Amino acid sequence: MFDPNEPISVTKDGPLLHAKARRDGVETVFERHQAQQPQCGFCDMGLSCRICIMGPCRVDPFGEGPQQGVCGADADIIVARNLCRMIAAGAASHSDHGRDLVEVLASVAAGTAGGYKIRNEEKLRQLAGEYGVALEGRSPGEIAGALADAMMEDYGMRRKAITLVKRAPEKRRACWDAVGITPRGIDRETSETLHRTHMGVDNGWQSLLLQGLRNALSDGWGGSMIATEVSDILFGVPAPHTTAVNAGVLKADQVNIVVHGHNPVVSEMVSAACQDPALLAAAEAQGAQGINLVGVCCTGNELLMRRGIAMAGNHLMTELILSTGAVEMMIVDYQCIMPAIGQAAASYHTEMISTSDKARFPGMDHHEFHPQNAAELAAGLVQRAVDNFANRTETYIPVTPQAAMGGFSVETLIGALGGTPDPLIEAIKAGQIRGAVGIVGCNNPKIRHDYGHVTLTRRLIENDILVVDTGCVSVANAKAGYKLPEAIEMAGPGLKAVCGSLGIPPVLHLGSCVDNVRILVLLSALADSLGVDLSDLPVAGSAPEWYSEKAVTIGAYFVASGVTTHLGPMPPIAGSMQVVGLLTEGLNDVVGASFAVEPDPQKAAVFLQAHIEGKRQALGLDHRTIG
Ligand code: BF8
Ligand code: SF4
């Protein structure tokens, strides 16, 4: 476990701002984590159940106490049910985010969405084609309306399979059909998981876990994919940008506004308002040199990907950046926003604003964004942030920003390769690039902040493995300097040569957590070009510091898609060796991939390398012996 006597983070800004927060008497996630020790061992192993009120129950892992809950559920059933409920919650979160975007798309089509518009007609037409929407003689608005309707049907129960599973290689779809885990409807799978895990429904731990995989697939190839694609239609397809990261992106002489959360529906409107000449003039009248919008967490990633907007930090930095005293306003939507953050802000002049009808927080002012009022509301909030500049006292911004390159969509990546994935495939076949790993997910105070991400990434690129990242990992790696074209100097010779010739860094930022679907689409293009299944590719996933239910779902849809995935923290399944066995071994025979758990990123790098070399060998490519 994390040692409280060591610095909380491998970053420079983290420990400095943590010390400042402590001087200011602000309690953070690190102190609260410490105060929770020791955490419950039953829960940690997945052996406690509070699904019904005959309980709560727990199973004794040492075999001395009860081995069944009041209803008779044993360790295997309890562990499997708990894990499936985590997957359902993660899928619901991403997919509900996707639903919000579909609603904005429908409002744009109806002409009731204020400042939103279709920014990328090409993507609109492409998606509409995939959904079988007629294009002939229709305006973009009409196509958008029909597409939104068709996407809404994916959420329901009218289809045998959600539409975008068609994007997966044929062999993968055949595998899902054979196992019976092709997702039918996005909400349907989440709802069925909750049904099956109710007391007295599905008590087969294997059949429960298969439903968990189907539910996860309904997110990866459904709700999250819709979230990403509709965001691209409404806000543009990301293209590479140079930007800046770490707490140093806050500016002592400007009005600083931070957006936090996940849905670009809010942050894009705030971004537009920050460029309003009248508001910029108001800022100047307050003595500020401008309005500086920065992001944290995934809504920041969305802005960085499309607009090159700077990122102040990831999950464990969200409270700490407030201790700079330089934030006039933080505007949040939903997911990963700690309920304590309003309390941290109360020690400073920072105004905290919540915006979603489904997410309230203590210590925040609530101003609900809807497509109809978003532009006006965003402008009003930015004005309020400008006015708050006058209340600022001293600021403490102890670092200078780190430059980074972000904004790699599948479209721009394949564009950079000359319009086809073939050059990447050739580099893999030739062994210059051994394979690729998608490193994704969160921070977790159980692990030194960003240590898992940057250590694993460094080891992989040194060994000629291309890294793509999303979510909070992407900020960690950007802060470490891995996202500049010059970072090829840290890479092995083959990766250095390939990235050098393309002018790209060895670590590519693919976006927010819903954007993990970009990885699925990219891998499908590679698999189709090679004529193989996703599980044959020399690739893997990893979540070295994951904390959230969404991350469990992402890991599960990666594995169900054939991508073996490493986890840093152990999921709460150790109470059932049957469940552990199925997830870490047995799934190889079912979906051609499995989970691996290894908290030490150095050892995880060796495991991932060995996995990639094993896949190379199976493909008949040159391979190395690892470990
Ligand atoms: O969706 S990586 S801590 S911010 S859950 Fe959250 Fe994890 Fe960060 Fe984004 Ni994803
Ligand atoms: Fe206990 Fe069974 Fe109820 Fe769970 S579902 S709380 S194990 S009685």
Side-chain angles (χ1 to χ4, degrees):
M1 205 196 66
F2 179 75
D3 179 351
N5 299 314
E6 296 281 342
I8 49 110
S9 170
V10 295
T11 65
K12 194 170 168 206
D13 53 358
L16 291 170
L17 289 172
H18 185 234
K20 169 71 161 47
R22 296 190 84 157
R23 287 199 294 279
D24 294 344
V26 173
E27 193 184 72
T28 70
V29 62
F30 301 99
E31 289 72 55
R32 294 191 298 272
H33 177 250
Q34 211 47 46
Q36 283 294 332
Q37 303 310 313
Q39 288 172 309
C40 173
F42 292 99
C43 294
D44 200 33
M45 298 178 80
L47 286 173
S48 54
C49 182
R50 50 180 176 72
I51 279 176
C52 86
I53 63 154
M54 291 192 286
C57 304
R58 52 193 193 179
V59 165
D60 179 11
F62 303 109
E64 286 161 15
Q67 292 301 295
Q68 292 180 315
V70 175
C71 67
D74 62 13
D76 301 328
I77 296 170
I78 290 176
V79 167
R81 276 197 311 218
N82 287 339
L83 186 72
C84 285
R85 286 199 162 203
M86 290 185 86
I87 292 174
S93 305
H94 280 153
S95 298
D96 204 37
H97 163 169
R99 184 193 335 271
D100 286 342
L101 283 150
V102 174
E103 284 193 327
V104 174
L105 186 68
S107 300
V108 169
T112 56
Y116 301 97
K117 58 178 189 227
I118 310 280
R119 282 242 179 80
N120 193 315
E121 263 188 58
E122 196 184 327
K123 190 124 198 189
L124 171 71
R125 297 177 79 82
Q126 179 210 319
L127 259 291
E130 290 184 76
Y131 272 84
V133 167
L135 302 172
E136 248 340 90
R138 289 175 118 175
S139 69
E142 286 166 336
I143 296 171
L147 177 60
D149 279 348
M151 286 176 160
M152 287 176 193
E153 300 231 327
D154 264 350
Y155 278 84
M157 57 180 280
R158 296 175 69 93
R159 298 206 166 122
K160 287 205 172 67
I162 55 174
T163 307
L164 296 176
V165 292
K166 283 187 291 195
R167 291 178 164 189
E170 217 174 298
K171 286 182 181 168
R172 183 56 21 187
R173 279 181 277 142
C175 162
W176 292 335
D177 284 342
V179 181
I181 56 171
T182 300
R184 300 154 296 175
I186 298 165
D187 290 341
R188 175 179 187 163
E189 302 307 352
T190 294
S191 183
E192 185 168 317
T193 301
L194 292 175
H195 177 196
R196 285 165 79 144
T197 53
H198 186 281
M199 201 301 274
V201 186
D202 192 354
N203 291 290
W205 57 270
Q206 299 101 322
S207 52
L208 274 169
L209 292 173
L210 288 179
Q211 172 58 20
L213 295 187
R214 177 158 61 178
N215 196 171
L217 288 171
S218 80
D219 173 18
W221 298 87
S224 277
M225 205 168 268
I226 286 175
T228 290
E229 298 294 16
V230 178
S231 296
D232 283 358
I233 291 170
L234 292 172
F235 307 118
V237 173
H241 283 100
T242 300
T243 184
V245 288
N246 77 26
V249 302
L250 295 168
K251 298 202 169 116
D253 56 358
Q254 295 200 20
V255 174
N256 291 305
I257 300 177
V258 180
V259 282
H260 179 7
H262 284 78
N263 201 324
V265 160
V266 173
S267 54
E268 281 281 348
M269 277 298 158
V270 176
S271 165
C274 288
Q275 291 151 35
D276 180 334
L279 290 165
L280 287 165
E284 206 180 315
Q286 286 280 0
Q289 297 301 307
I291 303 172
N292 181 40
L293 177 69
V294 302
V296 292
C297 287
C298 281
T299 206
N301 278 321
E302 298 273 353
L303 289 179
L304 185 157
M305 288 287 285
R306 297 194 178 85
R307 319 246 163 272
I309 283 173
M311 278 291 267
N314 51 8
H315 180 51
L316 289 187
M317 291 298 294
T318 55
E319 292 173 295
L320 297 183
I321 60 160
L322 298 179
S323 68
T324 58
V327 180
E328 271 59 55
M329 180 175 282
M330 181 181 270
I331 302 174
V332 311
D333 52 81
Y334 45 52
Q335 299 171 13
C336 302
I337 297 149
M338 292 188 223
I341 200 164
Q343 198 178 303
S347 294
Y348 307 97
H349 75 303
T350 309
E351 293 204 55
M352 300 295 290
I353 308 291
S354 55
T355 58
S356 167
D357 57 345
K358 49 193 124 189
R360 309 260 177 161
F361 302 87
M364 293 200 196
D365 259 10
H366 191 68
H367 295 272
E368 229 162 86
F369 271 65
H370 296 284
Q372 298 72 22
N373 72 354
E376 201 185 330
L377 189 53
L381 290 175
V382 172
Q383 176 67 59
R384 199 166 138 186
V386 166
D387 294 342
N388 195 25
F389 186 73
N391 298 322
R392 197 192 269 188
T393 51
E394 47 159 8
T395 60
Y396 174 70
I397 304 172
V399 290
T400 52
Q402 166 69 46
M405 199 180 194
F408 291 92
S409 54
V410 176
E411 290 87 338
T412 51
L413 198 53
I414 291 190
L417 294 168
T420 135
D422 292 350
L424 184 55
I425 289 172
E426 290 311 316
I428 292 172
K429 278 188 181 164
Q432 275 182 299
I433 296 180
R434 311 301 299 169
V437 175
I439 310 185
V440 309
C442 326
N443 298 135
N444 184 327
K446 292 178 174 173
I447 293 176
R448 170 153 304 113
H449 174 235
D450 287 352
Y451 171 73
H453 301 322
V454 300
T455 310
L456 178 62
T457 302
R458 184 71 184 258
R459 290 292 92 84
L460 293 178
I461 61 171
E462 282 168 359
N463 286 289
D464 290 321
I465 293 169
L466 177 72
V467 170
V468 298
D469 63 13
T470 60
C472 288
V473 184
S474 61
V475 185
N477 282 337
K479 281 167 78 166
Y482 298 167
K483 293 202 173 154
L484 290 172
E486 303 85 278
I488 56 171
E489 297 305 328
M490 302 180 210
L495 184 62
K496 178 178 170 178
V498 175
C499 293
S501 71
L502 293 168
I504 58 172
V507 181
L508 302 177
H509 184 358
L510 259 66
S512 64
C513 280
V514 292
D515 290 338
N516 283 316
V517 304
R518 297 190 201 274
I519 300 176
L520 297 179
V521 172
L522 182 61
L523 295 183
S524 297
L526 296 182
D528 284 343
S529 274
L530 283 165
V532 300
D533 193 358
L534 291 167
S535 54
D536 298 321
L537 294 172
V539 302
S542 171
E545 301 182 29
W546 73 278
Y547 93 90
S548 102
E549 292 162 317
K550 291 180 289 172
V552 184
T553 317
I554 294 164
Y557 74 61
F558 265 43
V559 168
S561 299
V563 180
T564 283
T565 296
H566 153 255
L567 303 174
M570 178 71 175
I573 59 170
S576 165
M577 288 324 285
Q578 305 251 52
V579 171
V580 170
L582 181 71
L583 295 183
T584 58
E585 296 263 351
L587 283 182
N588 283 314
D589 297 331
V590 183
V591 291
S594 59
F595 284 99
V597 179
E598 175 51 68
D600 179 345
Q602 309 270 12
K603 291 184 187 156
V606 175
F607 163 79
L608 290 165
Q609 247 188 297
H611 171 76
I612 282 171
E613 294 297 334
K615 292 290 177 189
R616 291 185 65 85
Q617 183 175 14
L619 282 171
L621 302 174
D622 78 284
H623 59 279
R624 299 171 182 163
T625 307
I626 304 295

